[in-house]
């Protein structure tokens, strides 16, 4: 599906159902900030910022990085918290907040796609819900797996939330990142924590070239997608002011 067709679907989705509708298979540059796919070969390692320390003041750190990166501080706190939690759970994965931010940028512009934005609780409002995976041109068919409980569609599955999980993937990797006892794919702390779990599955080392690419391509099996995430992660790593 071309970008113009996806944009048309986006507008139709907003008008008809009041939800932001996006095509999981085609995300180019939703906010025009000049992000283009990195011209790198597969398995090229992405630059890594310094690992966050367990005693990092995430609110202070996020306020500094937000001004340099353009990523909302609320989203950065979620990415940073997910890095800390995943490094504690699987230290050999060496997951960076910058990779999570790269995915968040390409998937939903950090929860800001269309009319959406993250509220103070980190929930994307209006909810970000993808187009139905109904087998139409450029979209694979995925019949409903959750009774519409997460995506509101009892016929076909749709990608959901700021990190754009399919219901089946959320059922396996969904997480409670903010400690409120609920796993909510529309809440950025939960979504970032789930993305971290997904990227680190299978004993991947995301600081290595192969591990990073395997993880990102598991998220979306498109080399163009992975190169967009690479470019965003590279940009964000450079925005971290820590030595």
């Amino acid at each position: 599906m071309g970008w113009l067709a996806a944009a048309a679907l986006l507008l139709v989705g907003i008008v008809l159902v009041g939800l932001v509708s996006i095509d999981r298979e085609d995300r180019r540059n939703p906010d025009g900030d000049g992000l283009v796919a990195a011209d790198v070969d597969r398995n090229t390692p992405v630059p890594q910022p310094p690992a966050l320390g367990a005693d990092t003041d995430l609110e202070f750190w996020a306020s500094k990085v937000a001004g340099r990166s353009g990523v909302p501080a609320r989203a950065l706190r979620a990415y940073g918290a997910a890095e800390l939690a995943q490094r504690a759970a699987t230290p050999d994965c060496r997951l960076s907040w910058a990779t999570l931010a790269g995915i968040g940028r390409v998937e939903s512009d950090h929860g800001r796609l269309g009319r959406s934005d993250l509220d103070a609780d980190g929930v994307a409002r209006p909810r970000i819900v993808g187009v139905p995976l109904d087998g139409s041109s450029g979209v694979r068919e995925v019949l409903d797996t959750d009774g519409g409980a997460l995506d509101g569609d009892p016929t076909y599955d749709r990608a959901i939330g700021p990190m754009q999980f399919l219901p089946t993937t959320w059922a396996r990797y969904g997480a409670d990142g903010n400690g409120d006892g609920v796993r909510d794919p529309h809440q950025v702390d939960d979504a970032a924590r789930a993305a971290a779990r997904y990227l680190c599955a299978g004993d991947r080392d995301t600081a290595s070239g192969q591990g990073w690419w395997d993880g990102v391509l598991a998220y979306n099996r498109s080399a163009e997608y992975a190169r967009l995430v690479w470019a965003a992660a590279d940009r964000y790593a450079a925005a971290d002011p820590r030595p």
Side-chain angles (χ1 to χ4, degrees), residues 46-194:
V46 71
Q48 301 283 315
L52 294 170
D55 59 349
T56 299
D57 181 335
L58 288 177
E59 187 167 355
F60 177 78
W61 167 80
S63 70
K64 294 293 186 183
V65 176
R68 297 167 60 97
S69 67
V71 180
R74 184 64 187 82
L76 282 168
R77 295 205 311 269
Y79 303 143
E83 175 188 317
L84 290 173
Q86 196 61 47
R87 283 182 181 270
T90 58
D92 290 342
C93 181
R94 299 192 292 172
L95 181 66
S96 165
W97 68 267
T99 290
L100 293 168
I103 289 175
R105 166 62 184 81
V106 177
E107 292 291 348
S108 73
D109 192 22
H110 314 295
R112 300 179 296 184
L113 191 67
R115 295 184 296 113
S116 288
D117 207 347
L118 297 177
D119 67 14
D121 294 325
V123 178
R125 302 185 190 280
R127 289 183 169 187
I128 300 173
V129 178
V131 297
L133 298 180
D134 58 6
S136 57
S137 178
V139 178
R140 71 184 186 277
E141 183 179 72
V142 182
L143 296 176
D144 174 66
T145 60
D146 70 331
L150 294 174
D151 56 17
D153 189 336
T155 305
Y156 297 101
D157 271 351
R158 300 172 181 237
I160 46 178
M163 301 300 272
Q164 286 290 280
F165 278 96
L166 292 178
T168 49
T169 312
W170 184 258
R172 183 172 182 181
Y173 294 101
D176 176 17
N178 62 354
D180 66 354
V182 178
R183 300 186 308 157
D184 180 1
H186 300 284
Q187 201 280 332
V188 69
D189 299 294
D190 293 359
R193 182 72 186 92

Side-chain angles (χ1 to χ4, degrees), residues 197-224:
R197 295 183 62 205
Y198 191 23
L199 290 166
C200 288
D203 297 323
R204 295 188 189 102
D205 174 7
T206 60
S208 73
Q210 181 176 345
W212 189 91
W213 282 78
D214 286 351
V216 173
L217 289 171
Y219 216 101
N220 187 318
R221 290 188 291 274
S222 161
E224 179 76 2

